[in-house]
PDB file of all heavy atoms in Angstrom:
ATOM      1  N   ALA A   1       3.087  -3.907   4.744  1.00 96.00           N
ATOM      2  CA  ALA A   1       1.791  -4.493   5.062  1.00 96.00           C
ATOM      3  C   ALA A   1       1.969  -5.352   6.309  1.00 96.00           C
ATOM      4  O   ALA A   1       2.932  -6.116   6.421  1.00 96.00           O
ATOM      5  CB  ALA A   1       1.287  -5.342   3.899  1.00 96.00           C
ATOM      6  N   GLU A   2       1.044  -5.219   7.240  1.00 95.00           N
ATOM      7  CA  GLU A   2       1.144  -5.941   8.507  1.00 95.00           C
ATOM      8  C   GLU A   2       1.259  -7.459   8.298  1.00 95.00           C
ATOM      9  O   GLU A   2       2.095  -8.113   8.904  1.00 95.00           O
ATOM     10  CB  GLU A   2      -0.085  -5.619   9.360  1.00 95.00           C
ATOM     11  CG  GLU A   2      -0.130  -6.409  10.654  1.00 95.00           C
ATOM     12  CD  GLU A   2      -1.503  -6.437  11.269  1.00 95.00           C
ATOM     13  OE1 GLU A   2      -2.509  -6.338  10.534  1.00 95.00           O
ATOM     14  OE2 GLU A   2      -1.558  -6.588  12.497  1.00 95.00           O
ATOM     15  N   LYS A   3       0.455  -8.015   7.409  1.00 93.00           N
ATOM     16  CA  LYS A   3       0.455  -9.477   7.196  1.00 93.00           C
ATOM     17  C   LYS A   3       1.552  -9.948   6.236  1.00 93.00           C
ATOM     18  O   LYS A   3       1.809 -11.140   6.136  1.00 93.00           O
ATOM     19  CB  LYS A   3      -0.907  -9.931   6.692  1.00 93.00           C
ATOM     20  CG  LYS A   3      -2.013  -9.675   7.692  1.00 93.00           C
ATOM     21  CD  LYS A   3      -3.065 -10.728   7.619  1.00 93.00           C
ATOM     22  CE  LYS A   3      -4.205 -10.419   8.546  1.00 93.00           C
ATOM     23  NZ  LYS A   3      -4.027 -10.921   9.877  1.00 93.00           N
ATOM     24  N   PHE A   4       2.179  -9.029   5.526  1.00 94.00           N
ATOM     25  CA  PHE A   4       3.239  -9.372   4.572  1.00 94.00           C
ATOM     26  C   PHE A   4       4.454  -8.467   4.795  1.00 94.00           C
ATOM     27  O   PHE A   4       4.857  -7.729   3.895  1.00 94.00           O
ATOM     28  CB  PHE A   4       2.728  -9.232   3.136  1.00 94.00           C
ATOM     29  CG  PHE A   4       1.469 -10.007   2.863  1.00 94.00           C
ATOM     30  CD1 PHE A   4       0.225  -9.379   2.875  1.00 94.00           C
ATOM     31  CD2 PHE A   4       1.522 -11.367   2.589  1.00 94.00           C
ATOM     32  CE1 PHE A   4      -0.935 -10.091   2.624  1.00 94.00           C
ATOM     33  CE2 PHE A   4       0.354 -12.091   2.332  1.00 94.00           C
ATOM     34  CZ  PHE A   4      -0.873 -11.457   2.356  1.00 94.00           C
ATOM     35  N   PRO A   5       5.055  -8.501   5.985  1.00 96.00           N
ATOM     36  CA  PRO A   5       6.112  -7.540   6.311  1.00 96.00           C
ATOM     37  C   PRO A   5       7.385  -7.669   5.474  1.00 96.00           C
ATOM     38  O   PRO A   5       8.144  -6.707   5.376  1.00 96.00           O
ATOM     39  CB  PRO A   5       6.401  -7.814   7.788  1.00 96.00           C
ATOM     40  CG  PRO A   5       5.967  -9.225   8.002  1.00 96.00           C
ATOM     41  CD  PRO A   5       4.815  -9.442   7.070  1.00 96.00           C
ATOM     42  N   ASN A   6       7.610  -8.831   4.867  1.00 96.00           N
ATOM     43  CA  ASN A   6       8.840  -9.028   4.100  1.00 96.00           C
ATOM     44  C   ASN A   6       8.675  -8.829   2.600  1.00 96.00           C
ATOM     45  O   ASN A   6       9.610  -9.031   1.844  1.00 96.00           O
ATOM     46  CB  ASN A   6       9.411 -10.421   4.378  1.00 96.00           C
ATOM     47  CG  ASN A   6       9.789 -10.578   5.839  1.00 96.00           C
ATOM     48  OD1 ASN A   6      10.330  -9.668   6.445  1.00 96.00           O
ATOM     49  ND2 ASN A   6       9.476 -11.720   6.420  1.00 96.00           N
ATOM     50  N   ILE A   7       7.467  -8.436   2.173  1.00 94.00           N
ATOM     51  CA  ILE A   7       7.212  -8.195   0.753  1.00 94.00           C
ATOM     52  C   ILE A   7       7.163  -6.680   0.532  1.00 94.00           C
ATOM     53  O   ILE A   7       6.395  -5.979   1.190  1.00 94.00           O
ATOM     54  CB  ILE A   7       5.885  -8.845   0.300  1.00 94.00           C
ATOM     55  CG1 ILE A   7       5.970 -10.361   0.502  1.00 94.00           C
ATOM     56  CG2 ILE A   7       5.593  -8.504  -1.162  1.00 94.00           C
ATOM     57  CD1 ILE A   7       4.682 -11.094   0.199  1.00 94.00           C
ATOM     58  N   PRO A   8       7.980  -6.152  -0.377  1.00 94.00           N
ATOM     59  CA  PRO A   8       7.927  -4.701  -0.654  1.00 94.00           C
ATOM     60  C   PRO A   8       6.511  -4.293  -1.068  1.00 94.00           C
ATOM     61  O   PRO A   8       5.841  -5.032  -1.794  1.00 94.00           O
ATOM     62  CB  PRO A   8       8.909  -4.518  -1.808  1.00 94.00           C
ATOM     63  CG  PRO A   8       9.805  -5.719  -1.767  1.00 94.00           C
ATOM     64  CD  PRO A   8       8.976  -6.842  -1.208  1.00 94.00           C
ATOM     65  N   ILE A   9       6.068  -3.128  -0.618  1.00 92.00           N
ATOM     66  CA  ILE A   9       4.684  -2.721  -0.919  1.00 92.00           C
ATOM     67  C   ILE A   9       4.440  -2.582  -2.410  1.00 92.00           C
ATOM     68  O   ILE A   9       3.319  -2.744  -2.867  1.00 92.00           O
ATOM     69  CB  ILE A   9       4.256  -1.445  -0.152  1.00 92.00           C
ATOM     70  CG1 ILE A   9       5.106  -0.242  -0.523  1.00 92.00           C
ATOM     71  CG2 ILE A   9       4.258  -1.677   1.331  1.00 92.00           C
ATOM     72  CD1 ILE A   9       4.578   1.068   0.042  1.00 92.00           C
ATOM     73  N   GLU A  10       5.491  -2.317  -3.184  1.00 91.00           N
ATOM     74  CA  GLU A  10       5.334  -2.215  -4.639  1.00 91.00           C
ATOM     75  C   GLU A  10       4.919  -3.553  -5.248  1.00 91.00           C
ATOM     76  O   GLU A  10       4.335  -3.597  -6.324  1.00 91.00           O
ATOM     77  CB  GLU A  10       6.643  -1.757  -5.304  1.00 91.00           C
ATOM     78  CG  GLU A  10       7.139  -0.405  -4.862  1.00 91.00           C
ATOM     79  CD  GLU A  10       7.938  -0.466  -3.549  1.00 91.00           C
ATOM     80  OE1 GLU A  10       8.469  -1.539  -3.180  1.00 91.00           O
ATOM     81  OE2 GLU A  10       8.005   0.573  -2.865  1.00 91.00           O
ATOM     82  N   ASP A  11       5.229  -4.662  -4.567  1.00 90.00           N
ATOM     83  CA  ASP A  11       4.927  -5.994  -5.086  1.00 90.00           C
ATOM     84  C   ASP A  11       3.580  -6.534  -4.606  1.00 90.00           C
ATOM     85  O   ASP A  11       3.227  -7.671  -4.933  1.00 90.00           O
ATOM     86  CB  ASP A  11       6.034  -6.980  -4.675  1.00 90.00           C
ATOM     87  CG  ASP A  11       7.388  -6.621  -5.276  1.00 90.00           C
ATOM     88  OD1 ASP A  11       7.421  -5.826  -6.245  1.00 90.00           O
ATOM     89  OD2 ASP A  11       8.407  -7.135  -4.775  1.00 90.00           O
ATOM     90  N   LEU A  12       2.834  -5.753  -3.842  1.00 89.00           N
ATOM     91  CA  LEU A  12       1.566  -6.239  -3.283  1.00 89.00           C
ATOM     92  C   LEU A  12       0.375  -6.051  -4.219  1.00 89.00           C
ATOM     93  O   LEU A  12      -0.698  -6.565  -3.948  1.00 89.00           O
ATOM     94  CB  LEU A  12       1.283  -5.551  -1.940  1.00 89.00           C
ATOM     95  CG  LEU A  12       2.274  -5.887  -0.826  1.00 89.00           C
ATOM     96  CD1 LEU A  12       2.011  -5.020   0.392  1.00 89.00           C
ATOM     97  CD2 LEU A  12       2.216  -7.368  -0.469  1.00 89.00           C
ATOM     98  N   GLY A  13       0.545  -5.286  -5.279  1.00 88.00           N
ATOM     99  CA  GLY A  13      -0.542  -5.082  -6.228  1.00 88.00           C
ATOM    100  C   GLY A  13      -1.578  -4.067  -5.777  1.00 88.00           C
ATOM    101  O   GLY A  13      -2.704  -4.082  -6.269  1.00 88.00           O
ATOM    102  N   GLN A  14      -1.214  -3.189  -4.844  1.00 91.00           N
ATOM    103  CA  GLN A  14      -2.149  -2.163  -4.383  1.00 91.00           C
ATOM    104  C   GLN A  14      -1.592  -0.773  -4.679  1.00 91.00           C
ATOM    105  O   GLN A  14      -0.376  -0.572  -4.743  1.00 91.00           O
ATOM    106  CB  GLN A  14      -2.415  -2.310  -2.880  1.00 91.00           C
ATOM    107  CG  GLN A  14      -3.100  -3.616  -2.538  1.00 91.00           C
ATOM    108  CD  GLN A  14      -3.931  -3.513  -1.288  1.00 91.00           C
ATOM    109  OE1 GLN A  14      -3.515  -2.955  -0.288  1.00 91.00           O
ATOM    110  NE2 GLN A  14      -5.131  -4.074  -1.357  1.00 91.00           N
ATOM    111  N   LYS A  15      -2.520   0.160  -4.847  1.00 93.00           N
ATOM    112  CA  LYS A  15      -2.130   1.554  -5.038  1.00 93.00           C
ATOM    113  C   LYS A  15      -2.054   2.186  -3.644  1.00 93.00           C
ATOM    114  O   LYS A  15      -3.062   2.308  -2.950  1.00 93.00           O
ATOM    115  CB  LYS A  15      -3.154   2.281  -5.908  1.00 93.00           C
ATOM    116  CG  LYS A  15      -2.765   3.714  -6.189  1.00 93.00           C
ATOM    117  CD  LYS A  15      -3.754   4.400  -7.099  1.00 93.00           C
ATOM    118  CE  LYS A  15      -3.353   5.846  -7.313  1.00 93.00           C
ATOM    119  NZ  LYS A  15      -4.359   6.580  -8.075  1.00 93.00           N
ATOM    120  N   VAL A  16      -0.833   2.563  -3.262  1.00 95.00           N
ATOM    121  CA  VAL A  16      -0.562   3.073  -1.914  1.00 95.00           C
ATOM    122  C   VAL A  16       0.393   4.252  -2.018  1.00 95.00           C
ATOM    123  O   VAL A  16       1.357   4.201  -2.779  1.00 95.00           O
ATOM    124  CB  VAL A  16       0.087   1.967  -1.038  1.00 95.00           C
ATOM    125  CG1 VAL A  16       0.452   2.490   0.328  1.00 95.00           C
ATOM    126  CG2 VAL A  16      -0.823   0.767  -0.917  1.00 95.00           C
ATOM    127  N   GLU A  17       0.144   5.303  -1.261  1.00 96.00           N
ATOM    128  CA  GLU A  17       1.094   6.413  -1.152  1.00 96.00           C
ATOM    129  C   GLU A  17       1.885   6.227   0.132  1.00 96.00           C
ATOM    130  O   GLU A  17       1.304   6.057   1.201  1.00 96.00           O
ATOM    131  CB  GLU A  17       0.375   7.761  -1.105  1.00 96.00           C
ATOM    132  CG  GLU A  17       1.332   8.917  -0.869  1.00 96.00           C
ATOM    133  CD  GLU A  17       0.657  10.248  -0.558  1.00 96.00           C
ATOM    134  OE1 GLU A  17      -0.559  10.363  -0.736  1.00 96.00           O
ATOM    135  OE2 GLU A  17       1.375  11.157  -0.124  1.00 96.00           O
ATOM    136  N   CYS A  18       3.196   6.247   0.019  1.00 96.00           N
ATOM    137  CA  CYS A  18       4.084   6.155   1.179  1.00 96.00           C
ATOM    138  C   CYS A  18       5.133   7.240   0.994  1.00 96.00           C
ATOM    139  O   CYS A  18       6.020   7.112   0.151  1.00 96.00           O
ATOM    140  CB  CYS A  18       4.718   4.764   1.236  1.00 96.00           C
ATOM    141  SG  CYS A  18       5.904   4.573   2.592  1.00 96.00           S
ATOM    142  N   SER A  19       5.023   8.341   1.759  1.00 95.00           N
ATOM    143  CA  SER A  19       5.939   9.462   1.536  1.00 95.00           C
ATOM    144  C   SER A  19       6.316  10.160   2.838  1.00 95.00           C
ATOM    145  O   SER A  19       5.552  10.134   3.806  1.00 95.00           O
ATOM    146  CB  SER A  19       5.294  10.487   0.591  1.00 95.00           C
ATOM    147  OG  SER A  19       4.273  11.199   1.251  1.00 95.00           O
ATOM    148  N   VAL A  20       7.482  10.791   2.825  1.00 94.00           N
ATOM    149  CA  VAL A  20       7.924  11.564   3.990  1.00 94.00           C
ATOM    150  C   VAL A  20       7.085  12.825   4.168  1.00 94.00           C
ATOM    151  O   VAL A  20       7.115  13.440   5.228  1.00 94.00           O
ATOM    152  CB  VAL A  20       9.429  11.937   3.925  1.00 94.00           C
ATOM    153  CG1 VAL A  20      10.301  10.709   3.993  1.00 94.00           C
ATOM    154  CG2 VAL A  20       9.730  12.764   2.707  1.00 94.00           C
ATOM    155  N   ASP A  21       6.331  13.214   3.143  1.00 94.00           N
ATOM    156  CA  ASP A  21       5.488  14.404   3.250  1.00 94.00           C
ATOM    157  C   ASP A  21       4.173  14.115   3.971  1.00 94.00           C
ATOM    158  O   ASP A  21       3.686  14.956   4.723  1.00 94.00           O
ATOM    159  CB  ASP A  21       5.180  14.967   1.863  1.00 94.00           C
ATOM    160  CG  ASP A  21       6.432  15.453   1.161  1.00 94.00           C
ATOM    161  OD1 ASP A  21       7.319  16.020   1.836  1.00 94.00           O
ATOM    162  OD2 ASP A  21       6.534  15.260  -0.060  1.00 94.00           O
ATOM    163  N   ASN A  22       3.595  12.932   3.740  1.00 93.00           N
ATOM    164  CA  ASN A  22       2.261  12.642   4.278  1.00 93.00           C
ATOM    165  C   ASN A  22       2.172  11.409   5.161  1.00 93.00           C
ATOM    166  O   ASN A  22       1.244  11.280   5.931  1.00 93.00           O
ATOM    167  CB  ASN A  22       1.268  12.456   3.120  1.00 93.00           C
ATOM    168  CG  ASN A  22       1.155  13.699   2.279  1.00 93.00           C
ATOM    169  OD1 ASN A  22       1.035  14.801   2.804  1.00 93.00           O
ATOM    170  ND2 ASN A  22       1.233  13.539   0.972  1.00 93.00           N
ATOM    171  N   GLY A  23       3.074  10.466   5.016  1.00 96.00           N
ATOM    172  CA  GLY A  23       2.939   9.180   5.687  1.00 96.00           C
ATOM    173  C   GLY A  23       2.395   8.180   4.678  1.00 96.00           C
ATOM    174  O   GLY A  23       2.741   8.231   3.499  1.00 96.00           O
ATOM    175  N   LEU A  24       1.500   7.288   5.116  1.00 97.00           N
ATOM    176  CA  LEU A  24       0.929   6.286   4.225  1.00 97.00           C
ATOM    177  C   LEU A  24      -0.572   6.502   4.088  1.00 97.00           C
ATOM    178  O   LEU A  24      -1.263   6.736   5.073  1.00 97.00           O
ATOM    179  CB  LEU A  24       1.179   4.876   4.754  1.00 97.00           C
ATOM    180  CG  LEU A  24       0.612   3.774   3.866  1.00 97.00           C
ATOM    181  CD1 LEU A  24       1.627   2.674   3.658  1.00 97.00           C
ATOM    182  CD2 LEU A  24      -0.689   3.213   4.413  1.00 97.00           C
ATOM    183  N   LEU A  25      -1.055   6.396   2.860  1.00 96.00           N
ATOM    184  CA  LEU A  25      -2.482   6.492   2.591  1.00 96.00           C
ATOM    185  C   LEU A  25      -2.846   5.459   1.537  1.00 96.00           C
ATOM    186  O   LEU A  25      -2.226   5.399   0.477  1.00 96.00           O
ATOM    187  CB  LEU A  25      -2.855   7.893   2.108  1.00 96.00           C
ATOM    188  CG  LEU A  25      -4.346   8.152   1.895  1.00 96.00           C
ATOM    189  CD1 LEU A  25      -5.139   7.956   3.189  1.00 96.00           C
ATOM    190  CD2 LEU A  25      -4.573   9.542   1.356  1.00 96.00           C
ATOM    191  N   CYS A  26      -3.837   4.649   1.858  1.00 96.00           N
ATOM    192  CA  CYS A  26      -4.364   3.648   0.928  1.00 96.00           C
ATOM    193  C   CYS A  26      -5.881   3.810   0.917  1.00 96.00           C
ATOM    194  O   CYS A  26      -6.520   3.799   1.971  1.00 96.00           O
ATOM    195  CB  CYS A  26      -3.985   2.239   1.403  1.00 96.00           C
ATOM    196  SG  CYS A  26      -4.596   0.922   0.323  1.00 96.00           S
ATOM    197  N   LYS A  27      -6.447   3.997  -0.265  1.00 94.00           N
ATOM    198  CA  LYS A  27      -7.903   4.172  -0.401  1.00 94.00           C
ATOM    199  C   LYS A  27      -8.503   2.916  -1.009  1.00 94.00           C
ATOM    200  O   LYS A  27      -8.039   2.432  -2.044  1.00 94.00           O
ATOM    201  CB  LYS A  27      -8.202   5.375  -1.302  1.00 94.00           C
ATOM    202  CG  LYS A  27      -7.714   6.687  -0.747  1.00 94.00           C
ATOM    203  CD  LYS A  27      -8.015   7.804  -1.727  1.00 94.00           C
ATOM    204  CE  LYS A  27      -7.424   9.121  -1.255  1.00 94.00           C
ATOM    205  NZ  LYS A  27      -7.640  10.181  -2.246  1.00 94.00           N
ATOM    206  N   ASN A  28      -9.561   2.408  -0.384  1.00 93.00           N
ATOM    207  CA  ASN A  28     -10.251   1.227  -0.926  1.00 93.00           C
ATOM    208  C   ASN A  28     -10.717   1.476  -2.360  1.00 93.00           C
ATOM    209  O   ASN A  28     -10.649   0.583  -3.195  1.00 93.00           O
ATOM    210  CB  ASN A  28     -11.457   0.851  -0.058  1.00 93.00           C
ATOM    211  CG  ASN A  28     -11.043   0.225   1.265  1.00 93.00           C
ATOM    212  OD1 ASN A  28      -9.909  -0.192   1.448  1.00 93.00           O
ATOM    213  ND2 ASN A  28     -11.972   0.174   2.204  1.00 93.00           N
ATOM    214  N   SER A  29     -11.173   2.682  -2.636  1.00 92.00           N
ATOM    215  CA  SER A  29     -11.721   2.994  -3.961  1.00 92.00           C
ATOM    216  C   SER A  29     -10.656   2.935  -5.066  1.00 92.00           C
ATOM    217  O   SER A  29     -11.005   2.829  -6.241  1.00 92.00           O
ATOM    218  CB  SER A  29     -12.385   4.371  -3.949  1.00 92.00           C
ATOM    219  OG  SER A  29     -11.440   5.371  -3.606  1.00 92.00           O
ATOM    220  N   ASP A  30      -9.367   2.978  -4.704  1.00 92.00           N
ATOM    221  CA  ASP A  30      -8.289   2.904  -5.692  1.00 92.00           C
ATOM    222  C   ASP A  30      -7.860   1.467  -6.005  1.00 92.00           C
ATOM    223  O   ASP A  30      -7.053   1.247  -6.900  1.00 92.00           O
ATOM    224  CB  ASP A  30      -7.050   3.663  -5.196  1.00 92.00           C
ATOM    225  CG  ASP A  30      -7.242   5.166  -5.178  1.00 92.00           C
ATOM    226  OD1 ASP A  30      -8.161   5.662  -5.869  1.00 92.00           O
ATOM    227  OD2 ASP A  30      -6.462   5.840  -4.468  1.00 92.00           O
ATOM    228  N   GLN A  31      -8.382   0.502  -5.266  1.00 90.00           N
ATOM    229  CA  GLN A  31      -7.917  -0.873  -5.402  1.00 90.00           C
ATOM    230  C   GLN A  31      -8.743  -1.645  -6.431  1.00 90.00           C
ATOM    231  O   GLN A  31      -9.913  -1.355  -6.649  1.00 90.00           O
ATOM    232  CB  GLN A  31      -7.963  -1.584  -4.044  1.00 90.00           C
ATOM    233  CG  GLN A  31      -7.269  -0.834  -2.919  1.00 90.00           C
ATOM    234  CD  GLN A  31      -5.901  -0.295  -3.269  1.00 90.00           C
ATOM    235  OE1 GLN A  31      -5.066  -0.986  -3.842  1.00 90.00           O
ATOM    236  NE2 GLN A  31      -5.655   0.977  -2.936  1.00 90.00           N
ATOM    237  N   VAL A  32      -8.101  -2.625  -7.042  1.00 85.00           N
ATOM    238  CA  VAL A  32      -8.761  -3.503  -8.013  1.00 85.00           C
ATOM    239  C   VAL A  32      -8.593  -4.946  -7.547  1.00 85.00           C
ATOM    240  O   VAL A  32      -7.719  -5.256  -6.730  1.00 85.00           O
ATOM    241  CB  VAL A  32      -8.183  -3.334  -9.444  1.00 85.00           C
ATOM    242  CG1 VAL A  32      -8.480  -1.941  -9.980  1.00 85.00           C
ATOM    243  CG2 VAL A  32      -6.695  -3.590  -9.457  1.00 85.00           C
ATOM    244  N   LEU A  33      -9.414  -5.832  -8.083  1.00 78.00           N
ATOM    245  CA  LEU A  33      -9.282  -7.246  -7.740  1.00 78.00           C
ATOM    246  C   LEU A  33      -7.906  -7.751  -8.135  1.00 78.00           C
ATOM    247  O   LEU A  33      -7.359  -7.375  -9.163  1.00 78.00           O
ATOM    248  CB  LEU A  33     -10.349  -8.077  -8.457  1.00 78.00           C
ATOM    249  CG  LEU A  33     -11.764  -7.951  -7.891  1.00 78.00           C
ATOM    250  CD1 LEU A  33     -12.750  -8.700  -8.778  1.00 78.00           C
ATOM    251  CD2 LEU A  33     -11.828  -8.484  -6.477  1.00 78.00           C
TER     252      LEU A  33
END
């Protein structure tokens, strides 16, 4: 995450795909408060 570069994305509480097949994809509709 641009604003949290030292925090692993798994610890950010968001549903994010990060893969060598596609790159990164984050959908607003998948996120919760």
Side-chain angles (χ1 to χ4, degrees):
E2 175 198 28
K3 297 213 184 272
F4 306 99
N6 298 319
I7 299 175
I9 62 171
E10 299 83 22
D11 297 343
L12 295 173
Q14 296 207 316
K15 183 177 178 186
V16 177
E17 175 191 348
C18 177
S19 73
V20 295
D21 296 322
N22 299 314
L24 180 134
L25 185 60
C26 180
K27 297 178 185 176
N28 287 345
S29 60
D30 290 341
Q31 309 314 313
V32 294
L33 286 174

